Amino acid sequence: MSRRFKQQENPADPPESPFSIPAQPLDIPGPKPLIFSVQRYFCGIFILTVFVFTANSCMTLPQGQETYHPVTEDGFPLTLERFKPGKITKPYPVILCHGLMATRKYYKFNGERSLAMALQKEGYDVWLLDLRGREDAGSPGYYFGERTYSYNLDDYFKKDMDTALSTVLAKTGKSGVNWIGHSMGGMVAYARLGTMRENRIKNLVTIGSPFLFTLPGENFQIWNSGSSLTEYLPVIPTGCLGKISSYSCVSLAPNAYFGEMLWYEPNLPDGMVRKAERYASNNIATGVAKQFSDAVNHGGLRSADQSVDYVEKLGNVKVPAMLVAGRRDHLAPARVVREIYERIGSEDKSLYIAGRAEGSSADYGHTDLFIGSGSYEDVVVPVIHWLNQRNGDNQ
Amino acid sequence: MKRFILPLIISVLSLISCLASVKKSEFNVPQTAGISHYFEVTEFTEKHPHSVLLILDPLFFNPEALQPMASYFASEGYRVLILEVKDPGPPVTMPDEAQLTGAVEMVKRLYPGRPVFAMGVSLSGIAWAPFLEQNESGLSGIIFNGTGFDYDYPGSFYNMVAGFKNEGTSLTELCMTPGKCPSFVRPDLVSAGIRMEDLPLRPKGLTGKQILNYFRTAKIPVAFVNGKIDGIAPEETVYPAIRDLGSQKTETNPQSRNFYLEASTANGMNTDYDHFDLFTSADAEDEIYGPLEEWMNERRAENEN
């Protein structure tokens, strides 16, 4: 028997009318129902989350005029985003290549003061490269699908670099490029130039690129111990973790200074860490992680099958090269960058350390070298100056 | 009654703590005396020192800045002797091998049977390098604390300072002018009396890459300490010596007698150290001196065995 029927049975209850005015609560102070407060609280959080998410989704980065997705010989699509200047005044275009767990978006974060935009303004035909496995060209599947995270660092420099270089040269009609790589983006260039007689790279700039891994610090070893996950996971989910960290505002780092492996936060503009975690962090393929782990244990980068020691081939790097190091960089310490500087075979080479003692406004960490608050003056301008001298200014 | 127990315990502990520090400072009153024509020695010691630690004048700054470090090692059972150059110049010149040999021999005569460790601090530390291949010197180990070795690359600190000198500007003048000083020295330390007229001149054989030869043929255990953001003895000037020395003590190589400590957050420290943090930071006692003491104790135990 329904309650309504019961009510009708009770003569004391007045009949309900659609026009009846709801009963007003008596004005007696008392505790509010707890359930009501909790509902309001969660509702508020939900609205706030939606607002923040929407606001962040609206973040706009500079967009190139053209975007291509060339496919490598083994079927992986890449992304090449082109920033063409009003008038191309330099003989060689520039390819900018990102680091290990990053994407090309890093190069655009500082807007007009970012490396990509500054190069474009200087008259360079600028191409931002996403290596395989980045979501803009279609993320690989974890276990199934046409492509999975089943590649390693050798694939980056043997296949992806070849495809990127061919595409850029075909689109521009030029005979060579300037290659700028941050972190792993510079390492792949060392590996290719050292082992493959690559002659399409005319000038090389590496920013915070390790290749040797001597005397790793404790945090580096913690980071490296994470590579044991490669035995159990199809991919190291750094992209997912970055997004979780960004949205939850909870650091997932194992200790207070672990994040300083990647950046020194006081050197970054407000909100940059969240932005980087959310928009430019990427998963690491297990093959790549294993190769890095081997490099840390061995002391330098080797081929995936460990048969070729790429460090021994550094003498084959003969192109003009500028090596940039951050004084506070824990991933590519200045001692390592200087050692690479000594080993490469280039006659025209420059070592540039971004630190206060060297006249910079800050001691730079790994990523703040090009997304830091002062990186335009301290790094971007010197890099462009160096490139200009090898792209026609003094020729 | 119960509410008085906690304050009482705290008071007693505080009293004990105060008494302990008084006792420590009583034993650490420095005693200064001449040891040769060249050096003046300031001694820090406690009652029964088991070893001797010889610290060479940093030359680049006033050795008084080393007092906290010297007091620490004295409180841990080391007789600490700071070798101060009597006439530091200008021109500021590092002591040569013969002058240091004289000092070491005199110390060994004064304190026979005690292990003797040498510590080089800041730029002048390289003066100890020739001792690396001398087993007969009797040194049980050499510590290079904030010492750079190979400055042979464009833009290095020595080359940069040479550029200032060519412009006729002394470092002191440069750094006392607001906004003019490259930030390798904090202004408070400049005004505290750092000797900045010139950089110490290196003895013959210790310039350029020649110095690395001593590390390739080293027979004596070596410890290196460098600050992560040290712009005076930056890591890229220290690393070539470590590389050429060979094996370092690590988790996978615990048997090595050589030790490298980078003072940085990457190694769990509270901050990335600069040059002067190595000697003046409040955290240095735990983060720098403690590990060095442990290393010296290991070497001492080796000698006893």
Side-chain angles (χ1 to χ4, degrees):
Chain A
M1 189 180 292
S2 73
R3 184 170 180 272
R4 184 176 181 82
F5 186 73
K6 274 186 178 176
Q7 281 176 335
Q8 282 178 337
E9 277 187 333
N10 188 346
D13 288 335
E16 288 184 10
S17 158
F19 305 106
S20 64
I21 300 169
Q24 297 295 315
L26 294 174
D27 190 16
I28 301 170
K32 289 181 182 174
L34 181 63
I35 187 77
F36 183 67
S37 300
V38 171
Q39 276 175 351
R40 277 214 310 193
Y41 175 76
F42 279 111
C43 185
I45 293 284
F46 176 75
I47 290 168
L48 191 65
T49 306
V50 169
F51 174 76
V52 169
F53 184 81
T54 310
N56 277 308
S57 301
C58 294
M59 187 199 77
T60 53
L61 291 173
Q63 296 298 314
Q65 297 96 325
E66 300 164 18
T67 302
Y68 300 93
H69 296 293
V71 179
T72 63
E73 62 182 72
D74 56 344
F76 276 87
L78 313 176
T79 299
L80 275 164
E81 186 179 6
R82 185 180 196 179
F83 288 85
K84 206 172 173 180
K87 184 183 177 192
I88 297 173
T89 60
K90 306 298 179 194
Y92 302 121
V94 180
I95 296 179
L96 291 168
C97 184
H98 56 76
L100 174 65
M101 57 181 98
T103 73
R104 71 185 195 285
K105 289 174 186 166
Y106 262 111
Y107 287 114
K108 307 191 284 185
F109 276 162
N110 274 347
E112 291 301 310
R113 288 166 58 83
S114 65
L115 182 54
M117 303 308 107
L119 284 164
Q120 182 193 27
K121 198 174 172 186
E122 194 69 17
Y124 288 94
D125 190 358
V126 181
W127 296 74
L128 305 190
L129 168 64
D130 267 355
L131 296 167
R132 66 179 62 192
R134 271 69 194 171
E135 62 184 4
D136 283 3
S139 295
Y142 283 3
Y143 291 101
F144 308 106
E146 201 178 335
R147 295 172 298 276
T148 59
Y149 287 95
S150 57
Y151 49 86
N152 56 43
L153 197 136
D154 292 355
D155 294 318
Y156 284 153
F157 83 80
K158 287 179 180 169
K159 296 167 186 165
D160 296 11
M161 275 185 79
D162 183 56
T163 302
L165 287 164
S166 302
T167 305
V168 170
L169 296 189
K171 298 289 178 191
T172 59
K174 301 289 187 181
S175 60
V177 306
N178 301 292
W179 185 278
I180 299 179
H182 173 245
S183 194
M184 188 191 73
M187 293 169 63
V188 291
Y190 290 142
R192 187 169 180 89
L193 288 165
T195 60
M196 299 188 75
R197 298 185 180 180
E198 174 59 67
N199 62 5
R200 293 170 291 182
I201 296 176
K202 302 300 181 187
N203 296 295
L204 172 67
V205 178
T206 62
I207 302 173
S209 292
F211 204 62
L212 295 153
F213 294 88
T214 48
L215 305 172
E218 285 175 20
N219 278 341
F220 210 127
Q221 289 172 34
I222 293 172
W223 188 73
N224 197 39
S225 65
S227 63
S228 57
L229 293 172
T230 55
E231 302 301 327
Y232 312 103
L233 297 175
V235 67
I236 306 293
T238 40
C240 307
L241 293 173
K243 287 178 176 62
I244 291 170
S245 172
S246 167
Y247 283 111
S248 65
C249 298
V250 174
S251 172
L252 302 173
N255 67 47
Y257 300 117
F258 196 75
E260 288 187 14
M261 297 276 288
L262 301 178
W263 43 56
Y264 184 60
E265 201 165 340
N267 287 347
L268 299 179
D270 287 345
M272 182 60 87
V273 169
R274 298 281 167 262
K275 202 194 282 189
E277 287 175 337
R278 195 167 305 175
Y279 299 106
S281 56
N282 201 75
N283 295 337
I284 304 172
T286 49
V288 176
K290 279 180 185 170
Q291 213 166 341
F292 263 94
S293 175
D294 174 64
V296 174
N297 295 331
H298 175 63
L301 188 68
R302 294 191 289 188
S303 56
D305 63 4
Q306 302 182 355
S307 64
V308 183
D309 190 332
Y310 296 142
V311 176
E312 290 175 1
K313 309 288 182 185
L314 278 171
N316 296 333
V317 178
K318 305 279 190 189
V319 296
M322 179 188 196
L323 285 69
V324 180
R327 171 60 66 219
R328 206 187 277 271
D329 192 337
H330 296 290
L331 273 176
R335 65 170 186 272
V336 162
V337 177
R338 183 193 171 187
E339 182 71 9
I340 298 167
Y341 166 83
E342 303 268 2
R343 287 183 184 231
I344 59 174
S346 311
E347 286 181 12
D348 175 10
K349 55 185 176 181
S350 305
L351 174 66
Y352 181 85
I353 297 170
R356 288 182 310 135
E358 287 76 19
S360 298
S361 62
D363 290 314
Y364 281 83
H366 189 62
T367 312
D368 23 316
L369 279 166
F370 64 99
I371 60 171
S373 306
S375 60
Y376 178 81
E377 291 79 10
D378 291 330
V379 178
V380 171
V381 169
V383 164
I384 291 178
H385 177 71
W386 185 90
L387 269 181
N388 284 348
Q389 289 181 323
R390 287 149 189 86
N391 279 265
D393 276 13
N394 286 348
Q395 291 172 6
Chain B
M1 182 62 190
K2 275 182 184 172
R3 61 185 179 161
F4 292 111
I5 291 177
L6 188 60
L8 188 67
I9 291 171
I10 291 171
S11 305
V12 170
L13 287 176
S14 306
L15 190 63
I16 291 170
S17 159
C18 288
L19 287 174
S21 42
V22 168
K23 187 180 174 189
K24 188 174 167 181
S25 62
E26 269 177 5
F27 287 118
N28 286 338
V29 175
Q31 313 242 333
T32 303
I35 197 167
S36 69
H37 295 302
Y38 191 76
F39 293 113
E40 196 159 88
V41 175
T42 305
E43 180 173 339
F44 298 76
T45 188
E46 286 208 3
K47 272 181 180 169
H48 303 290
H50 50 68
S51 310
V52 180
L53 175 60
L54 273 176
I55 303 179
L56 179 60
D57 189 335
L59 287 171
F60 184 56
F61 58 90
N62 195 322
E64 280 178 23
L66 303 178
Q67 184 157 338
M69 180 169 71
S71 297
Y72 172 85
F73 285 113
S75 70
E76 297 299 325
Y78 287 81
R79 183 185 298 277
V80 182
L81 306 173
I82 296 181
L83 300 176
E84 187 173 355
V85 176
K86 280 181 178 170
D87 178 16
V92 182
T93 308
M94 292 180 194
D96 61 24
E97 190 180 340
Q99 288 158 335
L100 282 173
T101 302
V104 172
E105 284 174 356
M106 191 168 288
V107 167
K108 289 189 81 67
R109 277 200 303 274
L110 287 171
Y111 311 110
R114 305 270 172 80
V116 179
F117 293 89
M119 182 190 284
V121 173
S122 190
L123 298 171
S124 65
I126 62 168
W128 287 116
F131 289 81
L132 288 169
E133 51 188 16
Q134 297 176 16
N135 258 341
E136 65 279 7
S137 71
L139 290 177
S140 298
I142 300 178
I143 297 166
F144 295 102
N145 190 359
T147 301
F149 304 97
D150 180 6
Y151 287 87
D152 193 10
Y153 61 98
S156 72
F157 178 69
Y158 261 90
N159 291 334
M160 187 168 57
V161 172
F164 300 145
K165 203 175 166 186
N166 290 340
E167 292 166 10
T169 315
S170 82
L171 281 177
T172 307
E173 282 174 49
L174 197 75
C175 290
M176 292 305 277
T177 311
K180 289 283 182 189
C181 188
S183 304
F184 47 77
V185 178
R186 299 198 306 260
D188 58 319
L189 289 164
V190 177
S191 56
I194 285 174
R195 299 165 179 165
M196 298 273 295
E197 283 71 23
D198 207 346
L199 291 185
L201 298 172
R202 287 172 282 186
K204 197 178 173 188
L206 296 182
T207 54
K209 292 193 188 305
Q210 289 173 305
I211 193 172
L212 300 178
N213 292 332
Y214 292 109
F215 291 90
R216 291 179 193 128
T217 53
K219 296 183 181 121
I220 291 176
V222 185
F224 300 92
V225 183
N226 91 272
K228 176 65 187 171
I229 58 170
D230 186 340
I232 294 167
E235 57 179 332
E236 64 271 19
T237 66
V238 180
Y239 175 71
I242 298 170
R243 176 199 61 205
D244 288 2
L245 181 68
S247 72
Q248 298 297 308
K249 186 179 175 182
T250 59
E251 276 183 25
T252 52
N253 185 19
Q255 298 306 316
S256 173
R257 300 191 303 161
N258 303 320
F259 174 58
Y260 169 60
L261 180 63
E262 180 190 78
S264 79
T265 57
N267 286 322
M269 300 187 188
N270 282 330
T271 185
D272 288 324
Y273 280 61
D274 74 9
H275 192 68
F276 293 98
D277 288 336
L278 294 171
F279 327 109
T280 59
S281 165
D283 294 325
E285 195 168 299
D286 290 334
E287 297 180 337
I288 308 287
Y289 313 150
L292 285 178
E293 184 209 344
E294 194 179 321
W295 177 80
M296 285 193 286
N297 288 342
E298 283 173 11
R299 304 286 75 76
R300 194 160 55 90
E302 257 174 22
N303 289 350
E304 285 167 3
N305 294 334

